[in-house]
Amino acid sequence: MSITYLEAIREAQAKLLRDDERVFIYGQDVGGTFGGAFKATKGLAREFPGRVLNTPISEDAIVGTAIGAALHGMRPIVEMQFADFSSLALNQILNNAGTHYWRTNVPVPITIRLPSGGTKGSGPFHSQSMESIYAHYPGLIVMTPATVEDAYTMLIEAVAIDDPVVYCEHKYLYYHLKADKLPTEGLPAGKARIAREGRDLTIVTYSAMVQEALAVAEELASDGFEIEVVDLRTVKPLDTDTVLASVARTGRLLCVGESFPWGGATAEVIARVTSEGFHLLDAPPQRVNAKDTPIPYHPNLWSVHRPNAKSIAAKARNLLRE
Amino acid sequence: MSITYLEAIREAQAKLLRDDERVFIYGQDVGGTFGGAFKATKGLAREFPGRVLNTPISEDAIVGTAIGAALHGMRPIVEMQFADFSSLALNQILNNAGTHYWRTNVPVPITIRLPSGGTKGSGPFHSQSMESIYAHYPGLIVMTPATVEDAYTMLIEAVAIDDPVVYCEHKYLYYHLKADKLPTEGLPAGKARIAREGRDLTIVTYSAMVQEALAVAEELASDGFEIEVVDLRTVKPLDTDTVLASVARTGRLLCVGESFPWGGATAEVIARVTSEGFHLLDAPPQRVNAKDTPIPYHPNLWSVHRPNAKSIAAKARNLLRE
Amino acid sequence: MLQTAQRSSETIKTKAVPHERFLEAFRWMLLARTFEEKLVSLYRGGLITGGVYIGKGQEAVSVACGLFLQKGDIFAPLIRDQAGRSAFGEPLVDVARTYLGSRQGPMRGRDGNIHRGLPRQGQLAMISHLGAMVSVTVGALMAKRFKGEKNFIGLSCIGEGGMQTGSFHEGMNLAAVEQVPLVIVATNNHYAYSTPNEREFACAELVDRAKGYGFEGYNLDGTDLSACLDVIGSAVKRARAGRPPQLLVASTLRLSGHGEHDDASYVTDEIKREPFAQDCLKRADKLIVDLNLVDAKRLQGWRDDAAAQVDQAITTAQKEAAPDANEDWCAISTRALVDQAQ
Amino acid sequence: MLQTAQRSSETIKTKAVPHERFLEAFRWMLLARTFEEKLVSLYRGGLITGGVYIGKGQEAVSVACGLFLQKGDIFAPLIRDQAGRSAFGEPLVDVARTYLGSRQGPMRGRDGNIHRGLPRQGQLAMISHLGAMVSVTVGALMAKRFKGEKNFIGLSCIGEGGMQTGSFHEGMNLAAVEQVPLVIVATNNHYAYSTPNEREFACAELVDRAKGYGFEGYNLDGTDLSACLDVIGSAVKRARAGRPPQLLVASTLRLSGHGEHDDASYVTDEIKREPFAQDCLKRADKLIVDLNLVDAKRLQGWRDDAAAQVDQAITTAQKEAAPDANEDWCAISTRALVDQAQ
Ligand SMILES: Cc1ncc(C[n+]2csc(CCOP(=O)(O)OP(=O)(O)O)c2C)c(N)n1
Ligand SMILES: Cc1ncc(C[n+]2csc(CCOP(=O)(O)OP(=O)(O)O)c2C)c(N)n1
Ligand SMILES: [Mg+2]
Ligand SMILES: [Mg+2]
C-alpha cells in the first residue's frame, strides 16, 4: 500500500469525524459527491451525513461560523478552496479567532486548512503561501507539514489543540509525495525535525521546500558536503532550540521559504539565530525565497520565481565557500 | 507658528487637492463638516466640494473603488478609519492593487492612509501596526513617516508615485509631534535618514519608535554612549545601504518596531544586515518588538506591551556590554 | 413567508404587551441610562481611559433584544446595547470593571468598554469590526443544533452602518442557508458616526433587504417601547417556532455623540425634530405617568434603586486592582506550545 | 423605481430586437463557442498549462453584455464571458496568447486564462476573488464622472455564487450610493463549482435583492438570446439615461465542468431537463433556421469563418515566444524605488 500526502489529509479527517462527534467540515464544495476542489474530503459527506457541509462563497462568514461553533463545543475544520482566498477571511482569523482567548479566556478550537503554495500554471491567485501573514499576528498556531506522516498526525493534532490552527498544506505535495503507511504518532506541534543529518551547513525550511532541500543535500553529498536539513513543521511556534542546535553543529545557516522575500519565516529564523546564536555562525546566514512579484502563471517564469533545488544549491555552494 | 504631525497630514492633503484635480479623498467620515475620526481632513470637504467623500462602512469596496478610479486617471487617497480595519480591505490591497501593474502593465496610483499604532486605552482593535503585512506582499510601497516633515512630504510623494502606497501614519504622533514649519522638500521614498549620529550602536527603527529611540540615545549619551538612530522612513523599499553603512560605523545593531514580534520589519532588517554585512557586526544583532499578544486596553498592560524608551534602553545597554 | 410588513403599536393599550413586561423593560432602560450617564461623567472627569459609547435613545430596542432571550440562547450585542446586555443577565459590576480596567472583570483589563462578553453564558464578545459577529452567532446556533439542544435562538444586533459591511451580508445569507433560528435587530439611528443615511445606502427601506435573503422582515419604531417589545418579542417567538430568520429594522436617533469624545455637531436640527428623534425613555416614562401604571413614589423608588445599583457597581470596580503587567503574555491557551524563544 | 419585473420574450418576433443585432450576437456566440471548443481540445492534448474555464451555455447572456457597450464604457467580465469580451472588442489572438502564455499577450505570460484584461480600453482584468471587480467598476465610473466624460456606463458580470461574497454586497451598495450608471449582470447557472443553489442562498428570487440596494431588478431567460438582447439592452439604455443602477439575473445551466478538469458529475439529470438547461446557441441557431433568417449556406459560411478566426488566433499565439525568465522581476512601476537589496 502507498498513500499520498493528499490521502493522508483525507484519512486524518475521516478519522477525526469517526472518533470525535464535535468535528465537522465546512467549506466550499467539500460536501456532496464532490469532496473538495482537491478531493481532500472525497466520500466524507456520504460517510458522515450532515457533518461535511458545502458553503456559499463567503470566506469571512465561513470562518465566523466556525468560530461560533467552536465557542459552543464543536471542533470545526474549515477548508479554504485555496489559501489565496483566505485573504477574505483574514479579519475573522486574525482579529476574532486570534484575539479571543487572550481577551475572554475562552479558546477557539478551529482548524483552518489552507491549500497553499505554487503548482505549475496556477498563477497569482492560486499559488500563495500565507503562513508568514498568519504567524505575524498573535494567537494562532501555524502548521506547515512537509511529509505524508506529518500531514496526517499534525492535522489530527490541530483539531485536538484548543487554539486556532492555520494548517498550511502544500498543493505541490498532494500527489507528488507518498509514504508506505500512516503513522500512529508523530512529533508534537512546535517541534522541528532533523530531516537529514549533516555537519557542513544547516538548511532550515518547511513545507514543500523540505523536498527541495533534501534534493540539494543529496546533490551536494556527491561533492562531499554533508548538509543538515531542519524541517520546521510549525512556523509558529518556531522551534528555535532545534535550529540553534543544528547551527551549533554546522556553523552555517541557509533559510529557504516559498513565500515572498520581505519578512516572513526565513527572516524570522535568521533574526533568532543571529540574536541568540551569533557566535555559532562561521559565515553570514543566507536566505532563498520566492521573488518579490506576484506568482507567475507561465511555467518558465514560475520555475524561476520559486526557490528550487537549483537556486538553493547555488546559494548553498556559495555559503560553503565562505 | 507650530504645526503638528496631524496638521501636516491635513495640509498635505489640502495642497494635493489644490494642485492636482485628479486627487480626491475617500473614506468613512472624512467629509461633511466632520473631517475624519482624527480630523485629518477637517474643512477639506467645504474647501473642495465633491472631492472629499464619505463612504459606507465597506472597506473592501472603498479600496476597490479607489483602484477603479486610479485606473481611469484619478489619484485617490483612501483614509481607513483605523489601520486595524484595513484587514477588511486587505484582499483588494494585496491581490488587486498589489498585483495589477505586474499583471497588466498598468499601474494603480492609490494612496491608502492607515492611522496606525497604539495610543493609551485603545485596545486590540484600534492600535495595530500593519506595515509588516503589507510589506510582505509584492507590489506595494509602505511608508512609515516618523516626523512632521516626513508626514508632509511623504504623503505628497505617495500621491505622486504611480504605484499603490500604504501610508502608515502613527496616531500617537498626531498631537505629540510638532515642527516649526512645513518643509518644501524631503528625502525621497526608499531612503532612510540618520536621525542622530553615533558610533557605538545603531538603532534601526521607524514611525513612533524613532522618538523612543532618540530618547534612548539621549539617555545613554549621559553615560557616554553615542547611539546612532536610523529612521527607515519607508519599510518597503527598505534602504539596506544606509543601514549597512551605519552598522559599519557602529558594529552594533538594535532593531525596534512596534508591531508584533514574529517576522516583520525588525526581522527583515536583521536578516539583511547579517546576510550582507555579517562581518560588520561586533555583537549579536537584537530586536525589540511589541509582545506576542493582542494589544491590551489597560494602560498598565499597554505600556509594557509596546516597546518604549525604557525597554529599548535596557536592551541597548546589554548590547553595548557584549 | 417572505412578506415584508410594517407593524406599529401606538400604546400598550393594544394589549400586545402586558404591563409587567413593559414595566420590567422600563426598569432595565432606566438602569442602562443611569449607568451610562455615570460612565459619561467618569469619562469627563478623566476617570475612564479610552472611549465611552452609550446607547442613549436606543434603550427601548436594546432592552427588547435582551428581554426575550433565555438561558441557552445566544446574544450578540453591539455598541449601544447596555440595556439589552443587562436584561440578558450581564452583571453591572462586570461592565464597570471593563470600563475601569479591573483585573476582576471578564476582560481583565485586556479589552475595554463595549468589547466585552461572556461567551460561556451565550453573550458573545464583539470585535470592533462591524458585521463580524453575525456569522459567529450563526455558528453558535449550528453548534447547538449539532449537539441536539432544543428551543434556542440567537439574536444579533447591528447598526444601519454595519449593515453595509460585506461581513454582515455573508453572515445574513449564511443564516438563511443554514436555516438557524436567528433574529437580526438592526437599528437605523440615521448616522454611522458622522455619516448620514444618504451616504450609507440608497434603498427606500433597509427592511426590503430581508426578502432578498429569505428572511422575514419588519420595521419598528425604536422610540416606542411597546412597539419594540411587541415586534421583537414576536420575532423571537417566530424564530423559536422554526420560522425563517428574522430581520427587524428599528428607527431611532442616536441621542449622544458617536462616543463621548464626539459632540455630534453634524446632527442637523431638522433631523432632531423627526419623530424618530424622540427619547424612548421619556416616552415610556410619560406613558407610565399618563396611564398611571405606577405611582410617582414607586417610580422614584425605581430611580433611586437604579442609582444605587450603579453606584455600587462603580464603587466595587474602582476598588479593585488594575491588571498586573508581569503576566505571562501568552495569547494561546495551549501553553506547552508557547514559543520559548520570544 | 424599485419595482422588480419579470420580462420574457419568446422569439425575436416581438420586434424588441432587430434581426441584425440578433444575427450579429449569434456570430459572436458562434465564435466564442468555436474558440472555447478549441481551447478544450488543446487542454485535453496537454497544450495548455493551468485551467480552462469556458462559458458554454452562457454565451447569450455574455454576448449581450459586450454588445451594447461602446468605446468609453467599462466592462468587467468574469469567468464565462468569452462571447461578451469578443463583442466588446478583445482581439481573439490576445485570448489565445493568454491561454498559451505568449509573451506578446496582454498578460505576457504572467497571468493566464480568464484573468486577463485591457484596462486602458475599459476591459478590467479580473482577479480570482469573486465580487472584487464590482467596486473597481464603480470607481472607474466615478473617475469618468470626475473627468466630465459623458454617456458612459459600466457593466459588471457575476455568478450567483459570487453574489454571496461580502465584496459583491459592498460594491453593489456603493454603486447605489454613488449613483453611477452601472449594470450588474448576474448569471445563475445553478451551481457554484459543485455547489447547488440550495447551499448558496435561501431567498425565493435573487433579483429581489435589487430593491434592497436601490437597484432596478429584472429576471431574464439566459437561454433565449432574444430575451438577453432585449433585457440587457434595455438595462444598458436605462443606465445611460441616468436611471438607478440595474441588476439583471439570468437563468442558465453551465453546460461544461466548472473548468475542464471537472467532469461535473454532480450535476443531476433532473436539472439537465429543466428549461434553463437548454443550450442558448442551439436555440438561437434553431430560431434562425426556423424563421429562415439566414440560409444554410450563409450559416455554414459563418461557421467556417469562426473556425478560421480561431485557427488563426491559435496558430499565431503558438508561434510566439514564451516569456523570458531573465526579466527584472519588479512588481512596481516606479523602478527607481526598487529595493536593490532583494
Ligand atoms: C468594519 C468597520 N469599519 C469601521 C469601523 C469604525 N466604526 C466604529 S462604529 C462606526 C459607525 C457605526 O455605525 P452604525 O453601524 O450605524 O452604528 P451606530 O454607531 O450608529 O450605532 C464606525 C465607522 C468599524 N467598527 N468597523
Ligand atoms: C472569493 C472566492 N472564493 C472562492 C473562489 C474559488 N472559486 C472560483 S469559481 C467558484 C465558483 C463560482 O461560482 P459562480 O459565481 O456561481 O460562477 P460560475 O462558475 O457558476 O459561473 C469558486 C468557488 C473564488 N474565485 N473567489
Ligand atoms: Mg447608525
Ligand atoms: Mg454559478
Side-chain angles (χ1 to χ4, degrees):
Chain A
M1 188 198 121
S2 129
I3 182 160
T4 63
Y5 183 93
L6 176 63
E7 285 160 353
I9 291 169
R10 189 202 161 281
E11 288 309 313
Q13 292 179 104
K15 180 179 163 53
L16 286 159
L17 285 163
R18 209 177 299 123
D19 295 353
D20 188 344
E21 60 181 16
R22 301 171 306 171
V23 172
F24 70 100
I25 301 180
Y26 210 52
Q28 291 151 22
D29 302 297
V30 296
T33 57
F34 189 63
F38 299 99
K39 307 283 174 258
T41 55
K42 183 82 187 165
L44 298 180
R46 191 171 30 185
E47 198 175 337
F48 304 98
R51 295 173 65 197
V52 184
L53 299 172
N54 281 348
T55 63
I57 306 177
S58 301
E59 282 78 6
D60 181 285
I62 291 167
V63 173
T65 299
I67 292 170
L71 286 175
H72 285 271
M74 302 299 287
R75 297 265 154 168
I77 301 173
V78 166
E79 175 181 301
M80 287 285 148
Q81 196 150 84
F82 285 80
D84 317 51
F85 298 121
S86 75
S87 54
L88 295 159
L90 179 130
N91 185 59
Q92 293 281 12
I93 300 173
L94 300 184
N95 284 315
N96 215 342
T99 67
H100 199 273
Y101 169 71
W102 200 74
R103 293 168 60 229
T104 65
N105 227 12
V106 180
V108 181
I110 60 173
T111 299
I112 303 173
R113 290 180 36 233
L114 302 188
S116 304
T119 51
K120 202 172 66 168
S122 296
F125 308 118
H126 294 78
S127 305
Q128 294 174 21
S129 299
M130 295 185 66
E131 64 281 352
S132 297
I133 300 272
Y134 293 112
H136 179 59
Y137 263 61
L140 306 169
I141 289 161
V142 184
M143 297 182 172
T144 50
T147 66
V148 176
E149 291 82 357
D150 274 354
Y152 183 74
T153 61
M154 289 172 83
L155 185 48
I156 291 171
E157 189 184 11
V159 173
I161 286 174
D162 281 342
D163 296 290
V165 177
V166 176
Y167 175 94
C168 305
E169 53 195 59
H170 202 295
K171 301 193 297 292
Y172 189 81
L173 303 179
Y174 274 170
Y175 319 99
H176 282 78
L177 213 58
K178 293 197 174 95
D180 288 340
K181 59 177 173 46
L182 291 176
T184 49
E185 57 186 32
L187 281 177
K191 272 274 158 243
R193 176 179 70 100
I194 308 292
R196 178 183 174 125
E197 292 186 4
R199 54 181 188 189
D200 296 323
L201 177 144
T202 298
I203 300 183
V204 175
T205 188
Y206 56 96
S207 192
M209 289 296 133
V210 171
Q211 295 304 317
E212 304 291 328
L214 290 172
V216 168
E218 197 59 37
E219 182 192 328
L220 295 198
S222 55
D223 299 351
F225 293 114
E226 294 180 24
I227 311 292
E228 181 146 307
V229 177
V230 178
D231 170 6
L232 290 173
R233 300 180 67 254
T234 52
V235 299
K236 190 173 185 184
L238 197 159
D239 183 357
T240 319
D241 292 348
T242 299
V243 172
L244 283 172
S246 175
V247 174
R249 286 188 287 275
T250 64
R252 282 177 160 74
L253 173 64
L254 176 59
C255 294
V256 180
E258 188 180 324
S259 64
F260 300 119
W262 195 104
T266 56
E268 181 62 22
V269 170
I270 290 183
R272 290 190 188 201
V273 169
T274 55
S275 65
E276 296 171 42
F278 188 68
H279 300 294
L280 304 174
L281 286 164
D282 299 328
Q286 299 295 336
R287 288 187 280 180
V288 187
N289 292 304
K291 296 204 183 291
D292 195 23
T293 71
I295 300 152
Y297 158 74
H298 196 286
N300 283 8
L301 299 175
W302 178 65
S303 63
V304 173
H305 187 275
R306 90 192 262 263
N308 55 43
K310 203 173 138 208
S311 61
I312 300 166
K315 204 67 153 192
R317 281 184 205 278
N318 278 343
L319 184 45
L320 285 162
R321 251 181 247 123
E322 289 242 4
Chain B
M1 187 199 123
S2 128
I3 181 159
T4 64
Y5 183 92
L6 177 63
E7 285 161 354
I9 291 168
R10 189 203 162 281
E11 288 309 313
Q13 292 179 103
K15 179 177 163 53
L16 286 159
L17 285 163
R18 209 177 299 123
D19 295 352
D20 188 344
E21 59 181 18
R22 300 170 306 170
V23 173
F24 70 100
I25 301 180
Y26 210 52
Q28 291 151 24
D29 302 297
V30 296
T33 57
F34 190 63
F38 298 100
K39 307 282 174 259
T41 55
K42 184 83 189 164
L44 297 181
R46 192 172 28 185
E47 198 174 337
F48 304 99
R51 295 174 63 198
V52 184
L53 299 172
N54 281 348
T55 64
I57 306 176
S58 301
E59 282 78 5
D60 181 285
I62 291 167
V63 173
T65 299
I67 292 170
L71 286 176
H72 286 270
M74 303 298 287
R75 297 265 155 168
I77 301 174
V78 166
E79 176 180 301
M80 287 284 147
Q81 196 150 83
F82 285 80
D84 317 52
F85 299 121
S86 75
S87 54
L88 295 159
L90 179 130
N91 185 59
Q92 293 280 12
I93 300 172
L94 300 185
N95 284 316
N96 215 344
T99 67
H100 199 273
Y101 170 71
W102 199 74
R103 294 169 59 231
T104 66
N105 228 10
V106 180
V108 181
I110 60 173
T111 299
I112 303 173
R113 290 179 37 233
L114 302 188
S116 304
T119 51
K120 203 171 68 167
S122 296
F125 309 118
H126 294 78
S127 304
Q128 294 173 22
S129 299
M130 294 184 66
E131 65 281 352
S132 298
I133 299 272
Y134 294 113
H136 180 58
Y137 263 61
L140 306 169
I141 289 161
V142 183
M143 298 183 171
T144 50
T147 67
V148 176
E149 291 82 356
D150 274 353
Y152 183 74
T153 61
M154 289 172 83
L155 185 48
I156 291 171
E157 190 185 9
V159 173
I161 286 174
D162 281 341
D163 297 290
V165 177
V166 176
Y167 175 95
C168 305
E169 53 194 60
H170 202 294
K171 301 193 297 291
Y172 189 82
L173 303 179
Y174 275 169
Y175 318 100
H176 282 77
L177 214 59
K178 293 197 173 99
D180 288 340
K181 59 178 173 45
L182 291 176
T184 49
E185 55 186 32
L187 282 177
K191 272 273 158 243
R193 175 180 70 99
I194 307 292
R196 178 181 174 127
E197 291 186 3
R199 53 181 188 189
D200 297 323
L201 176 141
T202 299
I203 300 182
V204 175
T205 187
Y206 57 97
S207 190
M209 288 297 133
V210 171
Q211 294 304 317
E212 304 291 328
L214 290 172
V216 169
E218 197 59 38
E219 183 192 327
L220 296 198
S222 56
D223 299 350
F225 294 114
E226 293 180 26
I227 310 292
E228 182 146 307
V229 177
V230 178
D231 171 6
L232 289 173
R233 299 179 68 254
T234 52
V235 300
K236 191 172 185 183
L238 198 159
D239 182 357
T240 319
D241 291 347
T242 300
V243 172
L244 283 172
S246 175
V247 175
R249 287 189 287 275
T250 64
R252 282 177 160 73
L253 172 64
L254 177 59
C255 293
V256 180
E258 188 180 324
S259 64
F260 300 120
W262 195 104
T266 57
E268 181 62 22
V269 170
I270 291 183
R272 292 190 186 200
V273 170
T274 55
S275 64
E276 296 170 42
F278 189 67
H279 301 293
L280 304 174
L281 287 163
D282 300 327
Q286 298 295 336
R287 289 186 280 180
V288 187
N289 292 305
K291 295 203 184 291
D292 194 23
T293 71
I295 299 153
Y297 158 74
H298 197 286
N300 283 7
L301 299 176
W302 179 65
S303 63
V304 173
H305 186 275
R306 89 191 261 263
N308 55 41
K310 203 173 136 207
S311 61
I312 301 166
K315 205 62 156 197
R317 280 183 205 280
N318 279 342
L319 184 46
L320 286 162
R321 252 180 247 123
E322 289 241 7
Chain C
M1 160 183 144
L2 293 162
Q3 88 284 15
T4 292
Q6 188 97 16
R7 293 247 200 149
S8 91
S9 126
E10 273 317 296
T11 74
I12 57 162
K13 279 176 289 184
T14 62
K15 296 263 185 284
V17 179
H19 288 191
E20 305 69 48
R21 196 89 313 167
F22 185 90
L23 295 175
E24 186 192 352
F26 174 76
R27 290 192 68 176
W28 288 121
M29 290 168 68
L30 197 60
L31 182 65
R33 180 73 63 94
T34 311
F35 184 71
E36 293 193 331
E37 277 167 359
K38 179 73 181 178
L39 286 182
V40 169
S41 81
L42 290 171
Y43 175 81
R44 301 241 163 101
L47 296 170
I48 289 178
T49 311
V52 168
Y53 304 86
I54 67 171
K56 189 170 176 183
Q58 305 189 191
E59 293 95 338
V61 179
S62 182
V63 72
C65 291
L67 207 59
F68 297 100
L69 297 181
Q70 307 165 354
K71 200 163 172 305
D73 287 340
I74 303 291
F75 183 33
L78 230 62
I79 322 184
R80 315 207 183 275
D81 281 311
Q82 183 54 52
R85 291 176 191 245
S86 289
F88 185 58
E90 184 187 43
L92 208 57
V93 67
D94 277 352
V95 193
R97 286 166 164 155
T98 305
Y99 269 101
L100 294 165
S102 155
R103 76 163 79 164
Q104 278 165 260
M107 314 312 277
R108 298 159 296 154
R110 294 175 176 192
D111 211 339
N113 53 66
I114 50 182
H115 303 97
R116 63 188 189 273
L118 296 162
R120 298 265 191 235
Q121 282 95 299
Q123 186 176 298
L124 301 178
M126 65 174 274
I127 63 169
S128 287
H129 303 71
L130 294 167
M133 301 312 290
V134 177
S135 58
V136 178
T137 313
V138 172
L141 298 175
M142 286 177 69
K144 285 172 175 287
R145 186 162 63 197
F146 270 124
K147 294 189 293 181
E149 291 182 28
K150 291 268 178 287
N151 194 31
F152 57 84
I153 70 146
L155 191 151
S156 205
C157 296
I158 195 83
E160 89 294 344
M163 286 183 78
Q164 316 315 324
T165 63
S167 190
F168 178 79
H169 166 76
E170 292 188 1
M172 189 158 162
N173 185 57
L174 207 55
V177 167
E178 299 292 3
Q179 284 292 306
V180 288
L182 177 68
V183 179
I184 293 181
V185 179
T187 301
N188 180 3
N189 62 8
H190 294 83
Y191 286 90
Y193 209 152
S194 77
T195 301
N197 278 185
E198 309 86 86
R199 292 293 300 168
E200 299 191 80
F201 55 85
C203 54
E205 292 263 19
L206 283 169
V207 76
D208 288 338
R209 292 201 179 158
K211 197 176 174 193
Y213 293 92
F215 272 53
E216 294 178 348
Y218 296 86
N219 275 323
L220 63 137
D221 175 354
T223 72
D224 177 349
L225 173 58
S226 179
C228 291
L229 293 169
D230 180 14
V231 178
I232 296 175
S234 307
V236 165
K237 245 187 231 143
R238 282 193 299 275
R240 271 194 222 289
R243 305 275 306 157
Q246 308 280 315
L247 174 69
L248 310 179
V249 182
S251 188
T252 64
L253 186 68
R254 198 187 65 207
L255 300 181
S256 63
H258 170 65
E260 285 312 303
H261 57 279
D262 171 29
D263 67 7
S265 56
Y266 46 80
V267 176
T268 62
D269 286 339
E270 203 189 331
I271 224 170
K272 288 182 188 154
R273 286 188 296 265
E274 291 281 355
F276 57 71
Q278 292 173 83
D279 182 336
C280 58
L281 185 65
K282 282 202 190 134
R283 256 190 98 172
D285 196 331
K286 183 165 181 307
L287 198 75
I288 292 172
V289 173
D290 288 355
L291 298 182
N292 203 14
L293 299 179
V294 176
D295 65 32
K297 198 169 145 214
R298 198 144 154 247
L299 210 49
Q300 187 55 43
W302 288 358
R303 283 185 215 288
D304 295 344
D305 178 57
Q309 284 191 56
V310 167
D311 266 356
Q312 210 204 319
I314 300 285
T315 317
T316 305
Q318 274 177 328
K319 279 196 294 235
E320 291 170 358
D324 181 358
N326 288 323
E327 60 160 280
D328 69 352
W329 294 103
C330 177
I332 59 172
S333 74
T334 320
R335 270 153 219 257
L337 288 183
V338 173
D339 190 359
Q340 302 303 339
Q342 260 321 314
Chain D
M1 162 182 146
L2 293 162
Q3 88 284 14
T4 291
Q6 188 95 17
R7 293 245 200 148
S8 91
S9 125
E10 273 317 297
T11 74
I12 57 162
K13 279 176 289 184
T14 62
K15 297 263 186 284
V17 179
H19 288 192
E20 305 70 48
R21 194 96 304 173
F22 184 90
L23 295 175
E24 185 191 354
F26 175 77
R27 290 192 67 176
W28 288 120
M29 289 169 68
L30 197 60
L31 182 65
R33 181 72 62 94
T34 311
F35 184 71
E36 292 193 331
E37 276 167 0
K38 178 73 180 178
L39 287 181
V40 169
S41 82
L42 290 171
Y43 175 81
R44 301 241 163 101
L47 296 170
I48 289 179
T49 311
V52 168
Y53 303 86
I54 67 170
K56 188 172 178 183
Q58 305 189 191
E59 294 94 339
V61 178
S62 182
V63 73
C65 292
L67 208 58
F68 297 101
L69 298 181
Q70 308 165 353
K71 200 163 174 303
D73 288 339
I74 302 290
F75 183 34
L78 230 61
I79 321 184
R80 313 207 184 277
D81 282 311
Q82 183 54 53
R85 291 176 190 245
S86 290
F88 184 58
E90 183 187 43
L92 209 57
V93 66
D94 278 351
V95 193
R97 286 166 163 154
T98 306
Y99 269 100
L100 294 166
S102 155
R103 77 163 78 165
Q104 276 165 260
M107 314 312 277
R108 298 159 295 154
R110 294 174 177 194
D111 211 340
N113 53 67
I114 50 183
H115 303 97
R116 63 188 189 271
L118 296 163
R120 298 265 192 237
Q121 282 94 299
Q123 185 176 299
L124 301 177
M126 65 174 276
I127 63 169
S128 288
H129 303 71
L130 294 167
M133 301 312 291
V134 177
S135 58
V136 178
T137 313
V138 172
L141 298 175
M142 287 177 68
K144 285 173 174 288
R145 186 161 64 197
F146 270 123
K147 294 189 293 180
E149 290 181 29
K150 292 269 179 282
N151 194 31
F152 56 84
I153 70 147
L155 190 152
S156 204
C157 296
I158 195 83
E160 89 294 343
M163 286 182 78
Q164 316 314 323
T165 63
S167 190
F168 178 79
H169 166 76
E170 293 188 0
M172 190 160 163
N173 184 58
L174 207 57
V177 167
E178 299 293 3
Q179 284 292 308
V180 287
L182 177 68
V183 179
I184 293 182
V185 178
T187 301
N188 180 3
N189 62 7
H190 294 83
Y191 287 89
Y193 209 152
S194 78
T195 301
N197 277 186
E198 309 87 86
R199 292 294 300 168
E200 299 192 78
F201 56 84
C203 55
E205 292 263 20
L206 283 169
V207 76
D208 289 338
R209 293 201 179 156
K211 195 176 176 191
Y213 293 92
F215 272 52
E216 294 178 348
Y218 295 87
N219 275 324
L220 63 137
D221 175 354
T223 72
D224 177 349
L225 174 58
S226 177
C228 292
L229 293 170
D230 180 15
V231 178
I232 296 175
S234 308
V236 165
K237 245 187 230 142
R238 283 191 299 274
R240 271 195 222 288
R243 304 278 304 157
Q246 308 281 315
L247 174 68
L248 310 179
V249 182
S251 189
T252 64
L253 186 68
R254 198 188 66 208
L255 300 181
S256 63
H258 170 64
E260 285 312 303
H261 57 281
D262 171 28
D263 67 7
S265 56
Y266 47 79
V267 175
T268 62
D269 286 339
E270 205 189 328
I271 225 171
K272 286 182 191 156
R273 286 188 296 267
E274 292 279 357
F276 57 71
Q278 292 172 82
D279 182 336
C280 59
L281 185 64
K282 282 202 190 135
R283 256 189 99 172
D285 195 330
K286 183 165 183 308
L287 200 75
I288 291 172
V289 173
D290 288 355
L291 298 183
N292 203 11
L293 299 180
V294 176
D295 65 32
K297 199 172 145 212
R298 199 147 153 244
L299 210 50
Q300 187 54 45
W302 289 357
R303 281 183 218 288
D304 295 343
D305 178 57
Q309 284 191 56
V310 167
D311 266 355
Q312 209 205 320
I314 300 283
T315 317
T316 304
Q318 275 177 329
K319 278 194 295 231
E320 291 170 357
D324 181 358
N326 289 325
E327 60 160 281
D328 69 352
W329 294 103
C330 176
I332 59 173
S333 74
T334 320
R335 268 149 221 258
L337 288 182
V338 173
D339 190 0
Q340 301 304 338
Q342 260 322 314

